[in-house]
Every structure is written in C-alpha cells, then in structure tokens.
C-alpha cells in the first residue's frame, strides 16, 4: 500500500510544471525510492475558465490521480513585496499569474465552489478520470488533491463512489446537486470513501461558510511555525504554514501524525454543549445577580429597621412585592437570553456572547433571534 508520506510528496510536487511534463517521476521517501510511471495527464490552462492540472500515476499496480490545487497567482508577488520568508512562499506557475488567479481563485475556487457557475475544473477532471480508467485496466484507484484539488477529488468521490484522500480541502457542498445534498443528509448517499486531513489553524477550512464537511476529518499535527518576518508577512506565512503540505509530521511508518487529543478548552466546550440548555440557566443567574443582591439588601434593611423600630412592621405587601420583583427578573432574563436558549448547535456560545454584549437594543435582540433560527435550520439540514 502506498504510504501517506509518498502521497503528500506527490501532492506537493504536482505544483511544479516540470513535474507535470515528465513521463516518470522518481521520488525518494526516507530510504526508499519510488518510480512512478505517468499514465496520463491533463492541462486546461489555455481555456479562460479552466486551469486544471492533474496527472495519473501507476504505483505498485495502483492508479493514483493527483490534482493540483489553486495557484497562488499574483499572491506570490505580494509575498515577496511584504518580505515574507521564501520557505513559506507557495509555488507559482510564474507565467500568466493574472489568468491563473482568475481561473483558480475567482471562477472555480469561489463562483464554482458556491454553485454560481459551472465548476469547470471538476467537469474537465471527471472527463479525464473516466477516459483514463476506460483506456487502462486498473481496478484499484485513488484520487488525491490538496486545497481546490481536494475539493475536486471529494466531488468525484460523491459522484462516482471512488476513494479520495484530500488535504486542506474546500468543501464541494454547494457545487453538488440539490438531490445529492438531500441524499447526503438522509444517508442515502455516502461520503465514507473520503478522508480529509486538515489543520485547525487553516482559515480556508471554514470556506465556504455554513456547509457540511465531507468524509472522515483528521486533524494533523504540524511542525512548529517559526519566522522573523514583518508582522503582516507573518500573517500570510501562518496561513500557508497551516494550509500547505510542507509542515506535516510523520511517524516511522510514513503515516501522518494526528492530533492526539482535544485541548482542555475544546473538552470544556464539548461538555457544555452536551449539557445543552441547562447551562444557560447559569447565564440567567448572571443577569439576575445584578438585581437580586439589591433586592436582598432591601429586605435586610427592612429587618434591621424592624428590630431598631419595633413599631415598624414588614407587611405582607412588601414580601409580595419582593416575590414579584424576583420573578420578573428571572422571566426577563430568560426572555432576554431566548436566542441563546433555542440554539442547539456549536454556535451556542457565539450567540451567547452576542446576546450578552450586543443585543440589549430591541432591534439587536430581534435580529439575533432570527439569526438563531437560521443557524438552527442550517444545523438541522447539515
């Protein structure tokens, strides 16, 4: 079986045009040398909305399709202008940077991903895949891709039920048909042949927003980030440190090292989510605590006055007033926290923060309540 370390190297070197033009790729992994025969390749760089680059390799009688991710395009010039460290600057085609930026980032990476235009690179790759397997007698295939290439690989895995291994993949959720999304929600369509490896520090992981992540998700352990670049350059460096493929850690078997356990904060948040709405009564108590001490002090003062002045009596009307005030405070707090109380997803504590600090105006509270219903609907659908 092909090691994960070899697959990572293939996913990395496919960004090089020189590699794509070879008939055989020789890769050394630790003490082993692999001779990968190029069975077929595709390059649609000349079409205005294309830009797909992929190869089909034969390794140990297995046909592996490797799809190149989005080209950094004009971003490479921005990296250099900001004096970023060279080891963090992604590989660029060099030529046609503006065209590459349009093809990969705008047309396919953005508009194609959210389903506003035809996902050209996927359409081209699907044709390439079907033609290659029909021309060659391989029963064992694997589709591999990083970033935008990972999105294409996941989409093919859903369409044709093939095995896919992806890295920092963008979710193809909105590019799927309505019936495919419906069947995935209902379990009639499986994404069980997809394995996606990601870093929690990768901001691209969250795009497009509010979508289902496909397949089994594996959080990787990265090598430590270190740089002495200017602050703005460091921000871009950290993005590609987390999103790229150069900083994965591996064990002695060539397998990707995964994060061993959740952080203490994640465990705490997970426990709170399991307790669900019961924890929100703590929030209600926080709001009530701002008024109830004052009420308690008022009651205590009545007792003091009664002892100092026996002729003064604490009337039943005062006690009733205290109970009404206390009940009003609790009901008002519960009503104020209603947007948080109705949330049943991991967004509960984001909504709670907004609820506490920003929804004290009437219009803010109404907007947050609507937002809470929308998040619940998305959570249910996903």
């Amino acid at each position: 079986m092909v090691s994960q370390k070899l697959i990572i190297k293939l996913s990395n070197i496919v960004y090089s045009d020189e590699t794509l033009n070879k008939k055989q790729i020789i890769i050394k992994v630790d003490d082993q040398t692999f001779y990968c025969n190029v069975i077929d390749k595709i390059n649609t760089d000349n079409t205005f909305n294309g830009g797909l680059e992929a190869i089909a390799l034969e390794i140990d009688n297995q046909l592996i399709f490797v799809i190149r991710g989005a080209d950094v395009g004009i971003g490479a010039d921005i990296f250099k202008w900001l004096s970023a460290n060279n080891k963090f600057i992604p590989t660029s085609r060099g030529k046609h940077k503006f065209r590459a930026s349009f093809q990969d980032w705008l047309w396919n990476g953005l508009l194609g991903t959210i389903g506003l235009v035809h996902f050209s690179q996927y359409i081209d790759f699907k044709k390439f895949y079907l033609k290659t397997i029909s021309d060659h007698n391989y029963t064992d295939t694997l589709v591999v891709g990083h970033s935008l290439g990972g999105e294409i690989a996941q989409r093919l895995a859903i369409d044709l039920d093939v095995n896919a291994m992806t890295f920092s993949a963008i979710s193809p959720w909105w590019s799927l048909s309505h019936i495919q999304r419906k069947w995935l929600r209902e379990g009639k369509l499986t994404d069980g042949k997809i394995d996606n490896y990601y870093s929690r520090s990768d901001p691209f992981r969250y795009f497009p927003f509010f979508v289902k992540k496909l397949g089994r998700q594996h959080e990787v352990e990265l090598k430590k980030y270190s740089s002495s670049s200017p602050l703005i350059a460091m921000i871009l460096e950290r993005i590609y440190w987390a999103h790229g493929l150069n900083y994965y850690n591996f064990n002695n078997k060539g397998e990707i090292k995964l994060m061993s356990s959740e952080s203490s904060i994640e465990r705490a948040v997970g426990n709170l989510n399991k307790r669900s709405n019961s924890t929100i009564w703590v929030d209600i108590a926080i709001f009530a605590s701002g008024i109830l001490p004052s009420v308690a002090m008022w009651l205590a003062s009545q007792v003091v006055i009664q002892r100092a002045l026996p002729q003064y009596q604490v009337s039943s009307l005062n006690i009733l007033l205290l109970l009404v005030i206390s009940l009003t405070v609790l009901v008002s707090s519960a009503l104020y926290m209603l947007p948080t109380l109705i949330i049943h997803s991991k967004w509960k504590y984001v909504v709670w923060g907004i609820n506490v600090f920003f929804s004290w105006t009437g219009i803010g509270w109404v907007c947050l309540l609507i937002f809470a219903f929308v998040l619940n609907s998305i959570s249910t659908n996903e």
Side-chain angles (χ1 to χ4, degrees):
M1 183 177 179
V2 179
S3 71
Q4 292 177 341
K5 195 169 187 178
L6 174 59
I7 291 174
I8 287 286
K9 283 186 173 288
L10 288 171
S11 300
N12 216 351
I13 66 172
V14 78
Y15 278 86
S16 167
D17 286 338
E18 182 182 351
T19 299
L20 291 169
N21 292 327
K22 291 181 178 179
K23 294 183 178 180
Q24 186 182 65
I25 300 173
I26 302 174
I27 300 178
K28 189 172 183 180
V29 178
D30 298 327
D31 296 330
Q32 288 184 290
T33 301
F34 294 89
Y35 297 89
C36 312
N37 296 317
V38 178
I39 303 300
D40 207 348
K41 59 187 176 183
I42 183 173
N43 185 338
T44 62
D45 188 40
N46 292 327
T47 59
F48 88 97
N49 61 350
L52 171 71
E53 290 186 85
I55 54 175
L57 302 166
E58 188 271 323
I59 307 174
D60 296 338
N61 296 318
Q62 184 180 31
L63 188 61
I64 300 178
F65 293 82
V66 187
I67 313 165
R68 177 177 177 160
D71 191 283
V72 69
I74 59 175
D77 295 330
I78 297 174
F79 267 82
K80 292 177 182 177
W81 179 68
L82 292 173
S83 302
N85 192 317
N86 285 332
K87 68 179 181 180
F88 293 106
I89 299 177
T91 303
S92 174
R93 296 172 188 167
K95 300 178 181 179
H96 313 302
K97 292 180 181 178
F98 285 96
R99 184 170 68 188
S101 299
F102 171 79
Q103 292 170 331
D104 292 350
W105 291 90
L106 180 58
W107 187 275
N108 291 283
L110 176 60
L111 301 178
T113 292
I114 61 179
L116 293 181
V117 298
H118 289 298
F119 196 171
S120 304
Q121 290 191 13
Y122 171 70
I123 294 170
D124 292 337
F125 179 75
K126 185 177 181 180
K127 293 176 182 177
F128 170 69
Y129 175 87
L130 292 173
K131 180 180 182 301
T132 304
I133 61 172
S134 66
D135 291 345
H136 302 85
N137 188 24
Y138 287 95
T139 56
D140 187 8
T141 64
L142 176 67
V143 184
V144 177
H146 166 248
S147 189
L148 179 60
E151 178 183 6
I152 295 170
Q154 289 190 5
R155 173 73 187 272
L156 190 81
I158 296 297
D159 278 358
L160 302 181
D161 194 31
V162 299
N163 294 313
M165 183 181 293
T166 61
F167 308 97
S168 303
I170 299 169
S171 175
W173 181 255
W174 292 122
S175 70
L176 297 172
S177 68
H178 173 74
I179 193 66
Q180 285 178 315
R181 295 197 298 269
K182 182 175 183 292
W183 285 352
L184 280 169
R185 294 189 196 106
E186 296 173 352
K188 296 178 181 178
L189 193 62
T190 179
D191 57 355
K193 291 189 175 182
I194 299 172
D195 285 282
N196 183 58
Y197 295 83
Y198 72 95
S199 165
R200 73 174 69 177
S201 302
D202 180 14
F204 289 106
R205 168 172 165 73
Y206 303 100
F207 178 81
F209 305 111
F210 307 123
V211 298
K212 179 179 174 65
K213 303 299 181 185
L214 300 182
R216 293 178 290 269
Q217 300 292 313
H218 311 281
E219 184 183 353
V220 302
E221 177 186 303
L222 297 178
K223 297 174 184 175
K224 186 177 179 181
Y225 169 81
S226 177
S227 177
S228 57
S229 302
L231 177 60
I232 298 179
M234 287 179 65
I235 294 173
L236 290 177
E237 288 175 359
R238 284 189 67 87
I239 290 174
Y240 277 93
W241 161 75
H243 185 66
L245 298 166
N246 294 320
Y247 302 96
Y248 282 26
N249 277 319
F250 302 90
N251 60 23
N252 294 332
K253 296 180 180 179
E255 298 170 339
I256 300 169
K257 279 189 177 182
L258 304 179
M259 296 298 289
S260 56
S261 62
E262 293 180 317
S263 68
S264 58
I265 294 178
E266 286 179 319
R267 284 195 299 271
V269 171
N271 289 333
L272 287 173
N273 276 325
K274 288 177 183 177
R275 293 190 180 95
S276 189
N277 289 328
S278 62
T279 60
I280 303 306
W281 290 107
V282 177
D283 308 327
I284 296 173
I286 292 172
F287 274 84
S289 65
I291 297 176
L292 288 182
S294 300
V295 177
M297 289 176 65
W298 170 80
L299 179 60
S301 68
Q302 300 297 306
V303 175
V304 170
I305 291 173
Q306 184 184 22
R307 290 180 179 177
L309 303 170
Q311 69 273 20
Y312 181 86
Q313 297 295 324
V314 179
S315 68
S316 59
L317 182 61
N318 288 338
I319 298 297
L320 181 60
L321 181 61
L322 172 63
L323 293 174
V324 170
I325 291 174
S326 301
L327 184 61
T328 302
V329 169
L330 288 174
V331 172
S332 299
S333 299
L335 184 62
Y336 182 79
M337 296 301 295
L338 185 61
T340 307
L341 284 165
I342 66 173
I343 283 287
H344 54 71
S345 71
K346 291 183 178 180
W347 287 89
K348 178 186 290 291
Y349 296 97
V350 175
V351 173
W352 176 84
I354 300 173
N355 210 158
V356 171
F357 297 107
F358 299 107
S359 67
W360 50 270
T361 62
I363 186 65
W365 183 87
V366 171
C367 289
L368 185 62
L369 185 64
I370 295 172
F371 183 57
F373 279 113
V374 171
L375 287 177
N376 273 345
S377 176
I378 292 171
S379 175
T380 302
N381 290 337
E382 301 305 310

